[in-house]
Amino acid sequence: MIPTIDGEMGDWDIVGEEYSVGLDQLTDDRDSNIHMADPKNLDVKVKVGWVKGMNRLYVLYQAYDDYWDFSRPDRHNDIFELVVDGDRSGGPFINPFRPVKNVDLMEAYFSFQGVQAQNYHIYTPAVGKEWAFVWGTQQWIKRLPFANASYKYDFSPGDSGKLILEFWITPFDYAGSEGPSRAIESVLTENKNIGLSWAVLDYDDVRAKDYNGFWNLSKKREMYGDASFLLPFRLMPLENRFDKSIDAQWSFSVVDMNRRVVSFSDESSGNITSWTWDFGDGEVSNEQHPIHKYSKPDLYSVILWIEGPLGKSHMAKVREVVLK
């Protein structure tokens, strides 16, 4: 199920509250003391999800603030700052943390900043400016087809109220200054751990030079520029309640094109007691993972039937096995 990015929370009803990260897990450690946010002043709740087969992270951000500060055109704005490291390579990725200090500042900016981990400085809300500021040359990662965002709120600057921000982003193992042509998306798969954290920067005075709080999930404020301080988030598999009782799925690979040898892999789910393959050439097999040799070049339609105590299922792929 892919959420619609429209600022509405209905798509997220299936995501239980046990997956929410609330204000009670955020702290501010800007000095020697650890500070906790006051929910009467600021209260936030975050859910992060993913969709199998897509390299996207979906985020629902809900926040109450007693003073929303967003009237200025610069970076003085209430902020939700999200940092992601898709392959958990770790290490610094923002200029002030660069490991080689004698490198020219702008050279380091182009070759280093935001390349192996990405920081999204998200305006809450964004009025008269783009929804996020990216810490690096990779400004394209915050736009379609790599990201999308939508807000819902009914307050003015200086008011209190509740904001809903819904967005998705694409994490990158490599996002260089040359643009998306050489970028490498982070591949998201079940049970993979990614590096992720966020902070909420709360302004309460349009005239102030700095924010009143940097409420941080990782417990290390430096997470905004050093991915070693991000937390491991596991990409959870689909919960059992959404699974079919029995579901036929399969894949194939051509082992030898010259001899037309194809390996078939059963990827079905459920309690399965029998498999029947129709290879599209008049031959069949009852093996779970058969290897089949075709006699002539053609486009073959292959069907897998499965059966178990809870029922039957089949999956056909029409003219997908192509042999020359």
Side-chain angles (χ1 to χ4, degrees), residues 7-19:
E8 300 290 343
M9 298 191 297
D11 293 339
W12 294 83
D13 289 345
I14 62 172
V15 182
E17 285 305 305
E18 66 271 22
Y19 292 108

Side-chain angles (χ1 to χ4, degrees), residues 94-98 100-113:
I94 294 294
N95 245 355
F97 298 95
R98 67 188 188 278
V100 182
K101 299 297 184 182
N102 60 354
V103 175
D104 176 77
L105 185 65
M106 292 311 296
E107 180 182 345
Y109 182 82
F110 279 94
S111 64
F112 168 74
Q113 185 145 316

Side-chain angles (χ1 to χ4, degrees), residues 52-261:
K52 185 176 180 179
M54 303 178 72
N55 299 326
R56 296 177 178 178
L57 294 177
Y58 289 83
V59 181
L60 175 66
Y61 176 72
Q62 304 173 68
Y64 167 81
D65 198 346
D66 67 341
Y67 184 101
W68 285 100
D69 199 337
F70 59 101
S71 62
R72 290 168 46 168
D74 57 9
R75 285 197 294 139
H76 179 114
N77 200 121
D78 287 330
I79 296 292
F80 177 54
E81 185 169 9
L82 182 139
V83 184
V84 60
D85 180 6
D87 61 0
R88 298 193 69 201
S89 53
F93 64 93
I94 294 294
N95 245 355
F97 298 95
R98 67 188 188 278
V100 182
K101 299 297 184 182
N102 60 354
V103 175
D104 176 77
L105 185 65
M106 292 311 296
E107 180 182 345
Y109 182 82
F110 279 94
S111 64
F112 168 74
Q113 185 145 316
V115 171
Q116 57 87 16
Q118 293 81 46
N119 180 312
Y120 297 79
H121 210 70
I122 302 169
Y123 303 115
T124 55
V127 176
K129 51 191 171 187
E130 288 194 292
W131 72 284
F133 163 73
V134 171
W135 281 54
T137 61
Q138 311 81 356
Q139 298 301 313
W140 45 271
I141 70 174
K142 66 187 177 184
R143 306 182 186 112
L144 288 170
F146 305 109
N148 195 20
S150 180
Y151 299 87
K152 184 178 181 180
Y153 63 94
D154 61 0
F155 48 77
S156 300
D159 290 348
S160 63
K162 183 177 180 179
L163 173 139
I164 298 171
L165 165 63
E166 190 179 16
F167 66 94
W168 61 264
I169 59 170
T170 305
F172 289 88
D173 292 346
Y174 176 83
S177 60
E178 63 273 24
S181 61
R182 291 185 58 198
I184 301 173
E185 292 185 12
S186 303
V187 178
L188 305 185
T189 57
E190 287 184 349
N191 294 311
K192 178 180 180 178
N193 279 337
I194 62 171
L196 187 66
S197 191
W198 54 77
V200 180
L201 285 64
D202 185 26
Y203 288 85
D204 281 343
D205 187 344
V206 70
R207 299 163 298 179
K209 293 183 178 180
D210 204 357
Y211 43 79
N212 300 318
F214 187 97
W215 310 109
N216 179 24
L217 179 63
S218 98
K219 309 301 187 289
K220 285 290 185 179
R221 181 173 179 267
E222 291 79 9
M223 68 91 197
Y224 72 86
D226 190 331
S228 300
F229 297 126
L230 300 180
L231 300 179
F233 273 68
R234 185 159 67 97
L235 302 176
M236 301 291 287
L238 195 67
E239 292 184 351
N240 292 336
R241 63 192 172 111
F242 298 111
D243 281 336
K244 297 178 181 178
S245 58
I246 187 167
D247 185 36
Q249 297 291 339
W250 58 273
S251 64
F252 74 95
S253 62
V254 178
V255 177
D256 188 329
M257 181 63 80
N258 293 328
R259 296 174 56 233
R260 293 183 288 277
V261 178

Side-chain angles (χ1 to χ4, degrees), residues 4 40 68 86 219 254 277 311 323:
T4 301
K40 294 179 181 179
W68 285 100
K219 309 301 187 289
V254 178
W277 295 84
L323 300 170

